[in-house]
Amino acid sequence: ICQKFDNIGGIIICSFVELFDDDPEMSKLFAKYLSHYETSIALGPFLGPMDRDIVYIGMPEWMAHDIYLREGQWKKAYLSLQAFLCGMTPDTYQFQERIHLLNGAYTPWQPNGSNCGRAVDVITKSMYHQQGDNATILGCIPFDHLLNQGKTSLENLHVHGGTISLVATAREGSVH
């Protein structure tokens, strides 16, 4: 079983904790590695493949979501959010560690309580992602969703330096 965890985490953890941010050469190497990982190891947006159709879900998508937001890769950030939420039961909002991509009846029930906290983090960062003195607002919310909702708001979010509230209102094909 331990070998099945070979593709989970690894070098992605180093980028998640911003180890490469001050080294342009390492950042380039990581970008090359991540591109290889996405095309040769990952199963679509699922970054923790264990077997042909079984993925470990949660930790890899949580880290990648943050990396994609920092890099301005909004579509990939959105896909990692959607992949992450595939591990949640729709009735009780519980998270599990593994899912089978083709067999919905595959249920090795392995509740993963820590994924609940990561889910809150991913959903919040989809609306407001802070990096240093900069923040990306609504970086992982599709523009069509904002237009269809008419109004999207986030109230009393505790962030570094205080509390914020924001409202995005769609008018005449744009969001303000």
Side-chain angles (χ1 to χ4, degrees):
I1 289 181
C2 291
Q3 289 179 340
K4 294 182 183 213
F5 287 93
D6 283 349
N7 296 325
I8 299 167
I11 197 86
I12 292 175
I13 293 171
C14 294
S15 183
F16 174 71
V17 298
E18 303 177 17
L19 190 63
F20 305 139
D21 285 7
D22 294 330
D23 186 337
E25 188 61 33
M26 287 301 292
S27 292
K28 285 181 190 176
L29 286 172
F30 176 74
K32 186 176 178 181
Y33 166 79
L34 186 57
S35 177
H36 165 75
Y37 191 93
E38 291 167 341
T39 57
S40 302
I41 298 172
L43 295 173
F46 298 100
L47 300 177
M50 297 181 77
D51 285 327
R52 186 177 58 189
D53 298 317
I54 298 173
V55 293
Y56 179 87
I57 195 160
M59 180 71 82
E61 291 78 20
W62 173 62
M63 290 185 289
H65 183 262
D66 188 81
I67 293 166
Y68 292 144
L69 284 173
R70 280 191 274 137
E71 298 294 323
Q73 297 185 44
W74 317 122
K75 290 180 182 178
K76 288 183 180 181
Y78 179 74
L79 284 175
S80 64
L81 165 68
Q82 296 304 308
F84 187 97
L85 294 177
C86 283
M88 180 181 71
T89 62
D91 53 352
T92 60
Y93 303 102
Q94 296 290 316
F95 282 87
Q96 55 192 28
E97 288 186 344
R98 293 168 184 78
I99 62 169
H100 194 291
L101 298 177
L102 301 175
N103 181 359
Y106 174 82
T107 55
W109 183 238
Q110 298 158 331
N112 190 341
S114 59
N115 265 354
C116 293
R118 284 190 280 273
V120 170
D121 190 48
V122 168
I123 292 167
T124 302
K125 285 181 178 178
S126 295
M127 300 279 288
Y128 179 92
H129 182 260
Q130 188 166 349
Q131 183 180 4
D133 292 335
N134 299 312
T136 301
I137 298 171
L138 305 175
C140 190
I141 308 299
F143 190 68
D144 286 347
H145 175 77
L146 294 171
L147 290 176
N148 292 335
Q149 278 299 110
K151 181 178 176 181
T152 301
S153 64
L154 182 63
E155 297 180 12
N156 300 318
L157 176 66
H158 296 278
V159 298
H160 300 291
T163 302
I164 66 157
S165 295
L166 64 95
V167 176
T169 305
R171 284 183 286 194
E172 302 170 10
S174 63
V175 177
H176 304 275

